[in-house]
Amino acid sequence: MNNLLAWASVIGTGVLELWAAIPLGFALKLHPIVTALLSGLGSMLSAIVVIFFGTSLRNWLIQRLQRKSGGRGSRMTRIWDKFGIPGLGFLSPLITGAPLGAAIGISLGANPRKLFVWMTIGIVFWSAVLTTAAVLGVSAFNVGS
């Protein structure tokens, strides 16, 4: 039962922020592959909710972003203008997090299915990269001590 709680914690944290879920998985002593999978799953769940079901949540996230960045000149908008759905979907899990990236994409007129595919690619990629970086960092720390 303890593992189930650890898994749920990493998934739940991944829903909010991929960057936070990976260190949590390591702190809970989960295997790195399990950590990457669970944090990515949580991030994908949040993207699904925002893209396909969360009109009011999406509107709240967009209002929050506009207050923070002053509107259309945000980094994600510039990425959208330059690279479209693939760029936004691939980079948003790393830069803004999946929920906010999904809300931005939908608000800018992205096709929901295409956005989800590209966000999934980005989430899987960044989960693998961040988990690998954490593993290498931990092993370098352990070698030095």
Side-chain angles (χ1 to χ4, degrees), residues 83-141:
F83 301 109
I85 293 172
L88 181 77
F90 185 76
L91 293 173
S92 66
L94 180 68
I95 296 172
T96 64
L100 187 54
I104 293 167
I106 293 298
S107 73
L108 293 173
N111 175 291
R113 286 194 171 106
K114 286 182 183 177
L115 180 61
F116 180 69
V117 166
W118 279 102
M119 288 199 78
T120 300
I121 292 168
I123 289 165
V124 169
F125 178 82
W126 293 116
S127 292
V129 167
L130 294 173
T131 303
T132 302
V135 167
L136 294 174
V138 168
S139 68
F141 180 74

Side-chain angles (χ1 to χ4, degrees), residues 26-139:
F26 280 86
L28 295 173
K29 301 192 185 319
L30 295 176
H31 190 277
I33 292 174
V34 172
T35 297
L37 292 173
L38 295 176
S39 60
L41 176 64
S43 197
M44 282 186 241
L45 288 172
S46 67
I48 288 170
V49 168
V50 172
I51 290 171
F52 296 107
F53 305 109
T55 304
S56 60
L57 174 63
R58 187 169 49 242
N59 292 338
W60 177 80
L61 287 168
I62 291 166
Q63 287 174 350
R64 179 177 158 237
L65 174 72
Q66 287 174 342
R67 275 195 310 263
K68 239 174 137 173
S69 70
R72 184 142 173 96
S74 73
R75 179 184 304 167
M76 293 312 306
T77 305
R78 288 191 306 270
I79 290 170
W80 169 263
D81 291 340
K82 191 168 184 175
F83 301 109
I85 293 172
L88 181 77
F90 185 76
L91 293 173
S92 66
L94 180 68
I95 296 172
T96 64
L100 187 54
I104 293 167
I106 293 298
S107 73
L108 293 173
N111 175 291
R113 286 194 171 106
K114 286 182 183 177
L115 180 61
F116 180 69
V117 166
W118 279 102
M119 288 199 78
T120 300
I121 292 168
I123 289 165
V124 169
F125 178 82
W126 293 116
S127 292
V129 167
L130 294 173
T131 303
T132 302
V135 167
L136 294 174
V138 168
S139 68

